[in-house]
Amino acid sequence: MILRIAISMALSTLVPLTSAHADEASQSSSSRVTDLDRIEVTASKLPSPVARTPASVTEVDGDRLRAQGATDLASALRLVAGVDVSPGGDGGSASSVPALWGLREFDAFLLVVDGVPSGGAFVPALQAVNLANVERIEVLRGAAPVSFGATSFVGVIQVIHYEAGKGPLRGDVHVGSRGDVGVSLAVPMPATHDGGFAGSLLVDADRKRFLADRSGFERGHALYRVTGTAGSGTLGLDIDASVVNQTPASPHPREGQTMTSRFPLDSNVNPADARLNETRFQVTMNYALETAVGAWTTKLSLARTQGEIVRGFLRADFSDGSDVNADGYRQRRSTDELYFDTHVASKLSDRTTLVWGVDHLYGNGQQTSDNFEYAIALDGRSAPQSSSLHTDERTLLTDRRNFSGVYADWRFDITDAWRIDAGVRYNHTAENRYGQVTDLTGPEPATEGESAHRSDNRFSGAIGSSLRLWQNGRDELVAYANYRNTFKPAVVDFGPEAEGGILKPETARSGEFGLKGSNFNGRLQWDASAFEMRFCNLVVSQDVGGLPGLTNGGSERFRGAEIESRFTLIDNLDLQGSWAWHDARFSDYEQLFDGVPTQLRGKRLELSPTHLGGLGLTFAPPQGLNGYVIGSRVGSRYLNKRNTALAPGYTTLDAGIGYRRNNWELRLDASNLSNRRDPVSESELGESQYYRLPGRSVLASLRFALDPVQASP
């Protein structure tokens, strides 16, 4: 239904718009852009040339993503150094589990969409990420403890769509293997006169199926953006709505040191009516005004997410299905989030700028769950309807959190070549939680509840410097270094249990040093860095009283080196490559295994590969034949904390070919051509169970891109 409505809307709009724009549209090739030209806005509140930012920042151009057939975060960031995005996970097949700096925790990084933390108060809203009409993606490695406060440790991924009225009129219709189908349409509406309002409308929908039995998703999305002069300033409004309906896959159990052979590769042991359905609605308003003390910017965003979930997981000691061997739950979940930021960029001198302001992030979440047990064959046959199963336990969990901060970020250009950035933030966090469990297995219901409150006040901050060591025209060599100190309240686990207690906040201190440069008149661009991070109270999953739960994981140490580059061999032909070495280990963490306390000091964190790499060749002329081939390598990694189950490394291969004529393009893209099905992420709900890589898929698409009609002078 979602897909049919979106296709009808898109096609009805497409025909008249195409004919109206066809005579005036032109397909232009993009000129070579070096780091001297690229501007990022993620590391601080101020736009900054990537080359001068004293941190590892990668900007992924939206046109390049489209030329490389990228449709999700995993494919979009496959050539970014040190970033490993695993598709799927507990969030469903439309979601993903990113890892940066060797840490694969679903809340260790911050997802930002058009300047607003998406799910930042709880966990990143990855299933709602949409790459249609994306202008660029910015990836900052390491924390952002001043700009975004107590929200991230290992990085920020910011998805930036075209501004209102900007970008081409763009559309896409695609079909793929296993009945995949989708459509998208982006319509810019430039201002008709000076000072008028400009707008943009994006609508898209897709349906995707996977090799795993009964797994896939349908997703519909609409984004309306408008901006224009209001009073003495500029007013902007974004309205973003999405519906994601998923049928989840089951993770594959591990027995001993290997993935069990008793569980068929693509078996699904969820109940027959399993689903992960979510609606999300967000309104964002921003206002910018020039004042006597500097540029004043204010942003307010409100988001509401509602979910309906039915899921089930095999028990750790699962049988063949003749006895009860799985636990499941029916859940209703809702979250309300508010993000407010107001800051002023004061120009203290020609070389000094101070950004000062306050922000607040609020989250209010609630879940109610009916928990049940059931028996199912390991191949998923005769899966029961959850409505036919007796509810053994009913849980309720509410959590209200507030992250507030006062911050100042100082930028000082000592010379044209030497820059210092320093920022400090005072954080106040407060959280109230209530958990309730009702046991329905006895003659009478028995209810227990637990409430908790925690408040923390502390400083966080960062200091960094960049120094241009050499420059000759468009070529340069820049050294940079930074130190960052941050903390974050422990994640809320909206699973089937009701954990009324609040864990200790996570804290981290990190240092980074690197070199970045451009050579051969800007044809070669590269960035090489090394880092070390000390982490305390990392939230890890473990069995708590026979149920899946979370606990603080002592202390950990992360260190590594990363390098990425892009070389324009000839016009329109680029060679990209990246490599990372990560060493993520427990420093001090003791856990019970079979009732025996075990010290994990020196053990590598599970699913953190030592080596990551990628190599891609992209040919993208403005007209005619185009194509790409990208290979990605993930090294060996342990599946468990005791480091007894080692998973071998694997290589995937993606490729695509297309033909562009005037404003239209026909293309064919294939992912995971080697059809690897390796374990890539661990379930937080199924003990010792892992999600595998999706199988090979092929997508055929028809695209068009027309320049928007400009208003007459």
Side-chain angles (χ1 to χ4, degrees), residues 251-453:
H252 196 125
R254 171 178 58 85
E255 289 187 298
Q257 299 182 9
T258 60
M259 308 296 285
T260 181
S261 59
R262 296 195 295 125
F263 188 86
L265 179 62
D266 291 313
S267 178
N268 192 336
V269 294
N270 277 286
D273 55 339
R275 56 189 178 272
L276 271 169
N277 295 346
E278 178 185 283
T279 60
R280 181 177 175 86
F281 184 78
Q282 179 173 311
V283 177
T284 302
M285 296 167 284
N286 56 78
Y287 189 70
L289 178 68
E290 288 293 336
T291 71
V293 294
W296 181 19
T297 303
T298 299
K299 187 182 293 287
L300 174 66
S301 180
L302 301 169
R304 179 166 180 79
T305 304
Q306 292 182 293
E308 183 180 357
I309 301 167
V310 177
R311 299 201 71 174
F313 296 86
L314 288 176
R315 292 176 173 174
D317 54 348
F318 62 90
S319 62
D320 60 4
S322 57
D323 299 313
V324 170
N325 61 353
D327 295 294
Y329 64 99
R330 295 180 297 271
Q331 182 182 93
R332 290 189 178 275
R333 180 189 304 173
S334 65
T335 60
D336 295 298
E337 295 182 85
L338 178 148
Y339 175 69
F340 172 76
D341 174 83
T342 184
H343 65 270
V344 178
S346 299
K347 193 79 172 176
L348 304 182
S349 70
D350 290 341
R351 293 186 176 273
T352 307
T353 303
L354 178 68
V355 178
W356 49 282
V358 299
D359 63 17
H360 181 75
L361 181 63
Y362 166 81
N364 186 13
Q366 177 177 299
Q367 65 91 349
T368 57
S369 296
D370 292 341
N371 300 336
F372 52 84
E373 60 182 20
Y374 61 103
I376 187 168
L378 298 186
D379 61 5
R381 286 176 301 158
S382 303
Q385 293 280 337
S386 69
S387 57
S388 68
L389 302 171
H390 179 264
T391 298
D392 300 318
E393 181 183 69
R394 182 165 292 131
T395 65
L396 165 69
L397 180 66
T398 63
D399 189 273
R400 188 171 66 252
R401 1 179 65 195
N402 289 274
F403 303 166
S404 305
V406 180
Y407 61 88
D409 205 341
W410 176 71
R411 177 182 298 177
F412 181 31
D413 293 316
I414 301 175
T415 67
D416 290 340
W418 185 15
R419 166 178 148 184
I420 292 179
D421 288 13
V424 64
R425 177 187 181 93
Y426 181 74
N427 299 275
H428 169 72
T429 65
E431 183 171 7
N432 291 280
R433 184 178 302 177
Y434 176 73
Q436 178 181 292
V437 178
T438 301
D439 187 348
L440 301 175
T441 59
E444 297 292 335
T447 300
E448 294 182 355
E450 178 186 8
S451 60
H453 169 78

Side-chain angles (χ1 to χ4, degrees), residues 14-30:
L14 172 60
V15 174
L17 284 174
T18 302
S19 58
H21 286 72
D23 293 336
E24 301 185 39
S26 64
Q27 183 76 29
S28 61
S29 61
S30 58

